Amino acid sequence: MLDATREALAELGWGGLTMGHVASRAGVAKTTLYRRWPSKNELVVDAVATLFDELVMPDLGSLRADIEAVVTQFADLLARPETQAALLALFAEGIRDRHLHRRIREAIVDPQKRLVRQGRAAAQARGELEADTDAEAAREEVDIIFDTIAGTVEHRVLVSGEPITPAWTRRFTDLLLGALTTC
């Protein structure tokens, strides 16, 4: 059902997407959809959130390698047409709908911050980053790192339409590491 949602969204756009289209494409009754998702908004948020659940923070032995790997995974995910269509439609609609905007944050954005927390913890355990001494400052740093990576990669792929190449990823990682290790 979630695959059918993303496919229908890519084909029909937000305005054309209905629960009926999704039900038909998935081969289920509309009542089946409505039992699990009370609205199109909830269905689309879950359909997009499952895409981002594919991302993992590897532990490749260095912060540089970990960052490069997760940036590459994220760029590959964003390069998929179904992800682009679903994410752009969801963000556009989220601007108009405060409740949807909150659901996007709760179901997609906040859960993905786990990648930053895992990467920082591994780097701290390896001695590449200093241990956290202030929990509030650490939370703020996680937010800033997440926003920097997600915002930069999303802008490059979705707005500029530029590729994420290994050379670009290395340069981006150089800039990010410079900021993280100059404290």
Side-chain angles (χ1 to χ4, degrees), residues 155-178:
H155 184 273
R156 184 155 179 95
V157 174
L158 301 177
V159 178
S160 299
E162 296 292 327
I164 302 286
T165 64
W168 183 91
T169 301
R170 280 190 299 279
R171 182 69 180 126
F172 175 68
T173 303
D174 288 344
L175 292 171
L176 189 59
L177 285 174

Side-chain angles (χ1 to χ4, degrees), residues 82-108:
E82 69 172 8
T83 305
Q84 289 180 11
L87 198 57
L88 290 171
L90 193 58
F91 286 168
E93 192 61 26
I95 290 169
R96 292 186 272 284
D97 181 334
R98 283 189 175 282
H99 175 72
L100 178 59
H101 185 80
R102 187 176 69 249
R103 284 290 298 133
I104 292 167
R105 183 167 228 13
E106 292 169 354
I108 299 169

Side-chain angles (χ1 to χ4, degrees), residues 71-144:
V71 165
T72 299
Q73 285 178 58
F74 186 41
D76 290 346
L77 177 64
L78 291 179
R80 292 167 32 188
E82 69 172 8
T83 305
Q84 289 180 11
L87 198 57
L88 290 171
L90 193 58
F91 286 168
E93 192 61 26
I95 290 169
R96 292 186 272 284
D97 181 334
R98 283 189 175 282
H99 175 72
L100 178 59
H101 185 80
R102 187 176 69 249
R103 284 290 298 133
I104 292 167
R105 183 167 228 13
E106 292 169 354
I108 299 169
V109 176
D110 289 344
Q112 295 313 309
K113 290 180 182 180
R114 70 180 160 73
L115 300 169
V116 176
R117 287 189 294 275
Q118 290 168 356
R120 287 179 83 246
Q124 288 168 339
R126 291 187 299 256
E128 294 175 285
L129 295 176
E130 292 184 21
D132 296 327
T133 56
D134 178 341
E136 182 59 29
R139 275 191 296 280
E140 288 176 2
E141 188 168 301
V142 165
D143 286 346
I144 291 168

